[in-house]
């Protein structure tokens, strides 16, 4: 899709306007986000993404629109996996509930800027070296296998460990361990100190870059259009803050999410390898966008259903065990 510089500028301005509206209506005043508020804003961002995709359908055709929806759904599903780590980060830094949405808002903005750099670099590499699709495809297949191995292990979730960039910032910039509202810096005894608020924002933003290492190649497996890649990532990330509060309690119930994501990443990895072979002149079948979109949606639907069923079955089993244990203790007392 041929996108002019003016369209790029208009799109970025439009996204910035939406972020500003989100901030001034729901994020300016620190408060504890209710499920109702989170549900409304999550719906708003999904509707906006749907309208954008329909706009592509009307003005650019079915192919760009299909690529956007496939990319958006993929990035959205992969971003849900980010929320597990965000929960660990919030706990690690003991972020007060009323400040969590501010942390997520700024952290997501940092992540969006960093992803834009990744996308620009990825587009430049792809346009110059077609063989990079082999590397992307192999990396996604390896990531899919790694996800399956992690899902099958019985180890408990590890605690969040700060990355090197964050450790370097904390080492070189004087900081305080006390929160001072939403302030990022304070003056104390004549010294300028960084607050935990800024540290946790950087933690959210930079940690997302690690997730971009698989999500960016994944979306390039669905479309090589930088405009679609960027907008799909933008809409997926901008609704992540509200999604955090909406499904925070449901995250533990999505026990099969890693399996679903591994299937999606593996599928896109195979698609990338086939595309690379096709570009090299080898006659191999190509996977169309409608097929990709159907597979992604089907995998997510099956994963959600089986996860909820497994969680419900486990809860009933634990409840039965608890009741049985109580009866055994009563019998022993008698």
């Amino acid at each position: 899709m041929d996108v002019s510089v003016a369209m790029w500028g208009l799109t970025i301005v439009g996204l910035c306007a939406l972020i500003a509206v989100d901030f001034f209506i729901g994020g300016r005043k620190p408060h504890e986000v209710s499920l109702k508020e989170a549900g409304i804003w999550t719906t708003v961002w999904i509707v906006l993404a749907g309208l954008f995709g329909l706009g592509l359908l009307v003005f650019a055709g079915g192919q760009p629109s299909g690529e956007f929806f496939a990319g958006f759904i993929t990035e959205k599903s992969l971003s849900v996996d980010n929320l597990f780590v965000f929960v660990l980060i919030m706990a690690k830094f003991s972020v007060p509930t009323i400040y969590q949405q501010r942390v997520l808002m700024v952290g997501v903005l940092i992540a969006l800027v960093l992803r834009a750099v990744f996308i620009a670099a990825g587009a430049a590499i792809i346009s110059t070296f077609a063989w990079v699709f082999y590397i992307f495809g192999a990396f996604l297949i390896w990531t899919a296998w790694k996800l399956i191995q992690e899902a099958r292990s019985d180890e408990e979730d590890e605690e969040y460990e700060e990355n090197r960039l964050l450790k370097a910032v904390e080492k070189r910039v004087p900081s305080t361990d006390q929160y001072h509202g939403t302030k990022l810096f304070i003056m104390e005894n004549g010294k300028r100190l960084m607050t935990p608020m800024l540290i946790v924002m950087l933690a959210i933003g930079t940690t997302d870059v690690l997730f971009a290492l698989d999500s960016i190649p994944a979306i390039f497996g669905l479309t090589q259009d930088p405009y679609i890649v960027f907008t799909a990532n933008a809409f997926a990330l901008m609704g992540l803050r509200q999604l955090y509060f909406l499904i925070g309690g449901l995250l533990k119930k999505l026990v099969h999410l890693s399996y679903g994501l591994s299937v999606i990443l593996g599928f896109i990895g195979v698609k990338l390898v086939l595309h690379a072979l096709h570009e090299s002149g080898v006659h191999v079948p190509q996977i169309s966008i409608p097929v990709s979109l159907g597979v992604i949606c089907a995998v997510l639907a099956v994963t959600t259903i089986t996860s909820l069923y497994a969680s419900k079955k486990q809860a009933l089993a634990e409840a039965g065990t608890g009741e049985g244990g109580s009866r055994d203790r009563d019998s022993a007392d008698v």
Side-chain angles (χ1 to χ4, degrees), residues 1-79:
M1 189 171 69
D2 187 18
V3 180
S4 65
V5 175
M7 179 57 68
W8 269 104
L10 184 62
T11 301
I12 293 174
V13 170
L15 291 174
C16 290
L18 291 174
I19 293 172
V21 170
D22 185 7
F23 173 74
F24 284 106
I25 293 179
R28 182 173 60 175
K29 183 179 179 181
H31 64 283
E32 187 171 346
V33 179
S34 65
L35 286 178
K36 180 181 179 181
E37 179 183 349
I40 291 174
W41 277 105
T42 299
T43 303
V44 167
W45 282 115
I46 292 177
V47 169
L48 288 173
L51 292 175
F52 183 84
L54 292 176
L56 288 177
L57 176 63
V58 173
F59 296 103
Q63 181 74 10
S65 178
E67 291 177 353
F68 171 80
F69 281 118
F72 171 73
I73 294 172
T74 299
E75 292 297 316
K76 199 71 174 178
S77 60
L78 289 172
S79 68

Side-chain angles (χ1 to χ4, degrees), residues 37-295:
E37 179 183 349
I40 291 174
W41 277 105
T42 299
T43 303
V44 167
W45 282 115
I46 292 177
V47 169
L48 288 173
L51 292 175
F52 183 84
L54 292 176
L56 288 177
L57 176 63
V58 173
F59 296 103
Q63 181 74 10
S65 178
E67 291 177 353
F68 171 80
F69 281 118
F72 171 73
I73 294 172
T74 299
E75 292 297 316
K76 199 71 174 178
S77 60
L78 289 172
S79 68
V80 171
D81 203 32
N82 299 16
L83 299 183
F84 288 99
V85 180
F86 289 175
V87 170
L88 295 178
I89 293 175
M90 293 294 188
K92 170 74 174 182
F93 292 96
S94 302
V95 182
T97 307
I98 61 173
Y99 300 139
Q100 288 185 3
Q101 69 160 342
R102 178 66 62 85
V103 168
L104 288 169
M105 174 174 285
V106 178
V108 167
L109 288 179
I110 295 173
L112 183 57
V113 172
L114 294 177
R115 284 202 181 199
V117 175
F118 269 63
I119 292 168
I125 293 173
I126 288 173
S127 63
T128 306
F129 307 104
W131 49 262
V132 78
F133 285 113
Y134 288 111
I135 298 177
F136 280 2
F139 177 73
L140 290 180
I141 294 173
W142 175 79
T143 303
W145 172 250
K146 186 179 178 181
L147 275 177
I148 292 177
Q149 293 297 101
E150 291 176 355
R152 293 179 63 183
S153 67
D154 296 328
E155 297 179 0
E156 296 292 330
D157 292 335
E158 298 181 359
E159 292 185 359
Y160 168 75
E161 295 184 5
E162 299 174 7
N163 54 54
R164 292 182 179 179
L165 175 62
L166 202 58
K167 289 180 179 179
V169 171
E170 290 180 302
K171 184 177 180 180
R172 289 170 173 77
V173 181
S175 61
T176 176
D177 57 357
Q178 297 290 329
Y179 284 93
H180 295 267
T182 57
K183 293 181 179 179
L184 306 182
F185 291 93
I186 61 166
M187 294 297 296
E188 189 174 280
N189 298 326
K191 293 184 178 180
R192 188 178 178 84
L193 302 178
M194 178 175 58
T195 69
M197 180 66 69
L198 178 57
I199 298 174
V200 71
M201 286 176 178
L202 292 174
I204 294 288
T206 55
T207 299
D208 182 79
V209 174
L210 300 177
F211 289 96
L213 293 177
D214 55 36
S215 66
I216 297 301
I219 194 170
F220 270 118
L222 298 170
T223 175
Q224 285 79 60
D225 192 320
Y227 182 78
I228 296 177
V229 172
F230 173 74
T231 52
N233 267 273
F235 278 105
L237 281 178
M238 288 191 299
L240 192 58
R241 173 172 63 93
Q242 292 82 4
L243 196 62
Y244 173 87
F245 296 103
L246 182 63
I247 69 171
L250 296 176
L251 286 177
K252 292 183 178 180
K253 295 184 178 181
L254 298 177
V255 294
H256 296 160
L257 179 63
S258 293
Y259 291 105
L261 295 180
S262 66
V263 172
I264 292 174
L265 290 177
F267 169 77
I268 297 176
V270 172
K271 184 177 186 297
L272 274 171
V273 172
L274 291 176
H275 178 74
L277 290 171
H278 180 76
E279 292 293 315
S280 301
V282 180
H283 295 288
V284 293
Q286 290 276 69
I287 302 176
S288 66
I289 286 297
V291 171
S292 299
L293 185 58
V295 169

